[in-house]
């Protein structure tokens, strides 16, 4: 098989890494890829948000299978363009990707199918309507910009003044661009958060191993939100009773709802949940693998990823083929100093070659670039040091030992990934 992976972050490096281990795979391209992916695949320059350009690229290389990493190509209809040409592709259609691309679409879907979620107060097209509505809701209230806003579109407002300020910035000053043209207001939920990711061919599905990510930039969940500072996976995260509740009250209703609405869904579906006093409730859907969750999940894979994704693309997924390594995995993200605020790129990264031969450790590249033979930083999140182990403690120890060997100017990482690992229980159980 010749496979094209679209995207250029840590998630895509993880996909390339695992696809390369398949005996079926003869060639991998990654577009645009990055400085580390270049060692495992042929990187091709393209703007993957541009459907026409990506179709032209695929026309030239003729992959047997294309796997879409990030959300933008999905929301722009890339998989529809591929399927029209009868090209095998993994990723939901443009219509299905609205589950991520529009918070209002997703909320209406959840309500229509009786899937537990935070109660929506309303959806608004203008700031005047939103201000009126704010005088009738209970605080704290959650305000969500409808469209894609790179993780900045959700705000938990403690009072009217804070809520009004956010609405003003989003709807009048357009700080989030077109993603903020419409907003919705919903009730604030309390509880622990859990991400649950499934792989589906539209008929059958397989849950992936459970993971937890760490969004804040500093230890102890301090500082601003980031794309993700690390993740870990262990089966203990998800006890059987909670898994069963999720299956019956969330996952199956979601897949049935998609079928009833005539929206076939093929690919990864990420379900973000809040475990509230009255059971798990959906916070959001993403139509792709999370990053860095993907790195922790794929590290535990014990099956042929190329085979399974090819089955998904042809609608014949056999969930029993997805086998997982026992034990645990961890991914520690190394970032540029200053991220998620201003940071500098182009810093030389040292120590990578010493890690290449360590079993159970893989350094997955996100924001890196190759300048000649030198790997330099090229983004906020630079590397995801990923390790497996018999226990979470062992996986974390390997990941941190490896992280300590890497150096670049301004390098920052959290020292407490997985440190507070606790079994998740739906409150009230
Ligand atoms: P979302 O993109 O919808 O998942 O929102 C991003 C983050 O905002 C979530 O991971 C939660 O931490 C928080 N959040 C979203 N919706 C709610 C809600 N209804 N109540 C409390 N927190 C929320």
């Amino acid at each position: 098989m010749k496979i094209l992976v679209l995207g250029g972050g840590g998630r895509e490096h993880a996909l390339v890494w695992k696809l390369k281990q398949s005996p079926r795979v003869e060639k991998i391209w990654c577009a645009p890829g990055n400085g580390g992916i270049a060692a495992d695949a042929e990187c091709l320059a393209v703007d993957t948000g541009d459907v026409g350009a990506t179709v032209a690229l695929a026309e030239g290389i003729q992959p047997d299978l294309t796997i879409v990493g990030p959300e933008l190509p999905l929301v722009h209809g890339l998989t529809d363009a591929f399927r029209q040409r009868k090209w095998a592709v993994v990723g939901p259609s443009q219509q299905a990707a609205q589950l991520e691309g529009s918070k209002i679409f997703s909320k209406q879907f959840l309500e229509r199918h009786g899937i537990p979620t935070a109660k929506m107060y309303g959806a608004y097209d203008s700031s005047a309507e939103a201000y009126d509505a704010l005088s009738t809701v209970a605080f704290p209230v959650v305000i969500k910009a409808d469209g894609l806003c790179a993780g900045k579109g959700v705000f938990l407002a403690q009072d009217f003044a804070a809520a009004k300020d956010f609405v003003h910035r989003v709807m009048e000053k357009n700080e989030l661009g077109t993603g903020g043209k419409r907003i919705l207001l919903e009730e604030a939920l309390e509880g622990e958060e859990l991400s649950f990711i499934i792989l589906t061919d539209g008929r059958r599905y397989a849950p992936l191993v459970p993971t937890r990510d760490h969004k804040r930039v500093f230890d102890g969940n301090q500082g601003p939100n980031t794309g993700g500072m690390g993740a870990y996976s262990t089966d203990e995260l998800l006890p059987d009773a909670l898994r069963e509740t999720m299956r019956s009250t969330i996952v199956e209703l979601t897949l049935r709802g998609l079928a009833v609405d005539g929206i076939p869904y093929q690919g990864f579906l990420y379900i973000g949940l809040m475990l509230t006093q009255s059971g798990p409730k959906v916070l959001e859907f993403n139509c792709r693998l999370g990053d860095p969750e993907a790195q922790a999940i794929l590290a535990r894979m014990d099956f042929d990823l190329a085979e399974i994704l090819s089955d998904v693309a042809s609608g014949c997924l056999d969930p029993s083929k997805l086998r997982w390594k026992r034990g645990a995995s961890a991914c520690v993200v190394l970032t540029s100093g200053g991220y998620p605020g201003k940071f500098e790129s182009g810093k030389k990264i040292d120590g990578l070659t010493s890690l290449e031969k360590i079993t159970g450790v893989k350094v997955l590249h996100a924001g890196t670039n190759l300048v000649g033979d030198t790997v330099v930083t090229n983004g906020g999140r630079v590397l995801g040091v990923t390790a497996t182990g018999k226990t979470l403690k062992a996986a974390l120890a390997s990941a941190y030992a490896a992280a300590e060997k890497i150096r670049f100017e301004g390098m920052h990482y959290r020292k407490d990934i997985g440190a507070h690992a606790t079994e998740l229980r739906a409150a009230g159980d």
Side-chain angles (χ1 to χ4, degrees), residues 10 29 108 123 178 215 237 272 331 333 422:
W29 298 273
Q108 288 166 344
T178 52
K215 285 262 180 263
L237 266 175
C331 171
V333 174
T422 46

Side-chain angles (χ1 to χ4, degrees), residues 115-118 187 189-194 241-242 245-246 249-250 272-283 425-429:
I115 303 163
T117 185
E187 93 184 288
L189 299 176
E190 278 179 35
E192 248 183 310
E193 288 185 45
L194 166 70
L242 177 55
T245 309
M246 304 266 302
T249 67
I250 311 262
L273 297 149
M274 187 75 92
L275 304 177
T276 74
Q277 290 286 349
S278 46
K281 294 190 179 179
V282 176
L283 290 176
R425 269 177 292 117
D429 275 7

Side-chain angles (χ1 to χ4, degrees), residues 249-325:
T249 67
I250 311 262
V251 179
E252 298 200 343
L253 289 182
T254 299
L255 293 176
R256 202 175 309 147
L258 285 165
V260 167
D261 289 352
I263 306 176
Y265 195 104
Q266 239 172 34
F268 295 99
L269 177 64
Y270 174 116
I271 310 174
L273 297 149
M274 187 75 92
L275 304 177
T276 74
Q277 290 286 349
S278 46
K281 294 190 179 179
V282 176
L283 290 176
E284 65 164 339
F285 291 114
N286 290 336
C287 51
R288 55 186 161 93
L289 277 170
D291 182 336
E293 289 94 328
Q295 291 86 313
I297 291 171
L298 295 187
R300 290 190 59 200
M301 256 184 48
D302 204 5
F303 55 86
D304 184 328
L305 185 62
E307 177 191 359
I308 297 300
L309 292 182
S310 166
D311 288 352
V312 167
S314 55
C316 53
L317 172 69
D318 174 357
S320 71
K321 285 190 191 166
L322 279 81
R323 298 181 180 280
W324 302 94
K325 288 182 192 148

Side-chain angles (χ1 to χ4, degrees), residues 341-363:
K342 272 198 184 148
F343 58 83
E344 291 177 9
S345 284
K347 309 288 181 199
K348 180 171 179 280
I349 306 175
D350 289 314
L352 291 172
T353 37
S354 66
L355 300 171
E356 274 164 14
K357 302 245 147 32
I358 304 182
T359 321
V361 174
K362 174 77 182 173
V363 180

